[in-house]
Amino acid sequence: MEEFGKPIANLVMHNLQEYMMEKRKLGKSGLEVSAIGLGCMGLSHGYGPATEKKDAIALIQKAVELGATFFDTAEFYGPYVNEELLGEALAPYKGKVVIATKFGIQGADGKLLVNSDPKQMKGWVDGSLKRLRLEAIDLYYQHRVDPNIPIEEVAGMIGELIQEGKVKHWGLSEAGVATIRRAHQAQPLTAIQSEYSMMWREPEKELLPTLEELGIGFVPFSPLGKGFLTGRFDKNSTFEKNDFRSIVPRFSAENLDANQALVQLVKDIAGQKEFTPSQIALSWVLAQKPWIVPIPGTTKIERLKENLGAAEVQLSAPELASINEALAQIVIAGERYPEEYAKRAGK
């Protein structure tokens, strides 16, 4: 692999407060957001103990200060408390930020249920509006496709909510290409959210070409491979029971060890470019298409600065080609979801 050139401008972390991040539009919708957003789930759900409220609010507000204008949450995160957290933290910035939330997943008896009953959607959106302290939701995702409800019915209710002024844009999370086409025909979609990173490139086969054809934006979650691409984990890493990664095959000791070749590749590039592995991984995602907006999550302000700073990293076409050639030689061990979760994706 060829040696990578030096960065156009080295990122000085303490000057980030003065940094104005570039903006991107999600497809042809006209919805403009910061090139990198903040995924807020991990502040209260999914990755171990919830962050102290005051610390979480400080982190969210620091993200705004650093140029982020795009924040992602869901009714299910907590449940409810993550929306409440964003509502409080972002209240001073009303009209200056874009908030995305989601409906359609509920918990019952320790299990996850998919439910997009159109008759209940008005109640769900009203609840999210109240918790988020908004008059209208900027971007409202169906969290997972409901196999029992035709997507056209969901799209129809979204259309009513848009007419009522309660929702501005809508999207789908982890949906299959056929569903995306049907949904978009019924009610134009602004964005699709799915996992995408150097570690999970499946969207390149069908999803990205479809979104480009239809003019729909792409919002990758886990662009750092659920933290793996930061280089923090090896075969000795352990995860608490309330950390989702404890049940993810990709994060078993055997697979963590098998996938170190990918981490080493990212570290090598980072060293040559004088950036961090996280910044290289995020800049790679950004470089794929101008309508892609990743939403890495973190609970630490230093990592927040690092992640948002990735918008400064420039990868040339030859560098990208070299990276992709190297990635093609690496076989990733372990599925990204346990079987129960995998059944809900790509419908």
Side-chain angles (χ1 to χ4, degrees), residues 155-167:
M157 182 53 68
I158 289 289
E160 290 187 25
L161 293 169
I162 291 173
Q163 287 292 320
E164 293 174 11
K166 293 183 176 182
V167 171

Side-chain angles (χ1 to χ4, degrees), residues 37-50:
L38 179 64
C40 298
M41 180 185 80
L43 292 170
S44 48
H45 178 90
Y47 288 106

Side-chain angles (χ1 to χ4, degrees), residues 170 172 179-190 214-216:
W170 87 298
L172 303 176
T179 300
I180 291 168
R181 289 186 179 278
R182 288 168 52 200
H184 188 63
Q185 186 172 14
Q187 179 67 45
L189 291 158
T190 289
L214 299 177
I216 302 170

Side-chain angles (χ1 to χ4, degrees), residues 41-331:
M41 180 185 80
L43 292 170
S44 48
H45 178 90
Y47 288 106
T51 304
E52 289 288 336
K53 184 178 177 180
K54 63 179 178 58
D55 295 331
I57 288 175
L59 184 136
I60 292 166
Q61 293 183 341
K62 173 60 73 171
V64 178
E65 180 184 332
L66 298 177
T69 66
F70 189 34
F71 296 84
D72 185 89
T73 182
E75 179 185 84
F76 181 69
Y77 300 160
Y80 307 125
V81 296
N82 201 251
E83 286 187 328
E84 292 170 350
L85 175 67
L86 262 70
E88 182 172 346
L90 295 174
Y93 310 101
K94 191 169 293 187
K96 298 180 180 179
V97 297
V98 171
I99 300 176
T101 191
K102 310 177 194 74
F103 68 92
I105 288 186
Q106 298 162 354
D109 300 324
K111 295 184 178 181
L112 301 184
L113 301 178
V114 175
N115 178 15
S116 288
D117 182 356
K119 296 176 182 177
Q120 300 183 57
M121 283 177 62
K122 289 193 176 183
W124 295 332
V125 78
D126 285 344
S128 289
L129 286 169
K130 182 177 180 180
R131 290 184 290 272
L132 291 167
R133 307 186 188 187
L134 297 173
E135 287 74 48
I137 293 171
D138 297 301
L139 177 55
Y140 201 36
Y141 292 106
Q142 183 187 40
H143 208 155
R144 289 294 185 273
V145 174
D146 186 339
N148 299 313
I149 306 289
I151 196 64
E152 290 82 1
E153 292 187 20
V154 177
M157 182 53 68
I158 289 289
E160 290 187 25
L161 293 169
I162 291 173
Q163 287 292 320
E164 293 174 11
K166 293 183 176 182
V167 171
K168 296 180 182 179
H169 300 265
W170 87 298
L172 303 176
S173 178
E174 291 276 56
V177 167
T179 300
I180 291 168
R181 289 186 179 278
R182 288 168 52 200
H184 188 63
Q185 186 172 14
Q187 179 67 45
L189 291 158
T190 289
I192 300 299
Q193 184 175 129
S194 287
E195 183 172 355
Y196 182 51
S197 70
M198 284 178 160
M199 196 173 195
W200 178 256
R201 299 180 64 187
E202 193 69 19
E204 294 173 7
K205 294 179 181 177
E206 290 188 339
L207 181 58
L208 292 186
T210 299
L211 299 186
E212 187 154 41
E213 174 196 339
L214 299 177
I216 302 170
F218 185 41
V219 179
F221 65 78
S222 298
L224 297 176
K226 296 182 173 64
F228 182 79
L229 294 171
T230 66
R232 290 164 42 210
F233 304 120
D234 60 25
K235 63 182 178 181
N236 298 312
S237 300
T238 57
F239 303 92
E240 299 180 35
K241 287 185 178 181
N242 58 355
D243 188 320
F244 173 67
R245 290 169 294 196
S246 66
I247 61 170
V248 173
R250 187 191 289 171
F251 283 86
S252 70
E254 179 183 7
N255 290 328
L256 283 171
D257 193 43
N259 291 326
Q260 289 303 310
L262 175 58
V263 169
Q264 192 58 53
L265 170 65
V266 179
K267 285 182 175 179
D268 288 346
I269 300 165
Q272 293 174 35
K273 291 283 287 183
E274 297 182 0
F275 286 101
T276 69
S278 296
Q279 290 172 333
I280 294 300
L282 288 169
S283 68
W284 178 87
V285 171
L286 286 168
Q288 303 307 310
K289 298 290 180 182
W291 36 266
I292 291 178
V293 179
I295 49 168
T298 185
T299 60
K300 298 178 176 62
I301 285 181
E302 285 307 306
R303 296 288 79 77
L304 174 72
K305 294 177 180 179
E306 181 182 342
N307 291 345
L308 296 182
E312 282 281 272
V313 183
Q314 302 294 322
L315 294 174
S316 68
E319 286 173 344
L320 276 172
S322 185
I323 292 172
N324 289 338
E325 182 180 348
L327 288 173
Q329 306 304 313
I330 298 173
V331 178

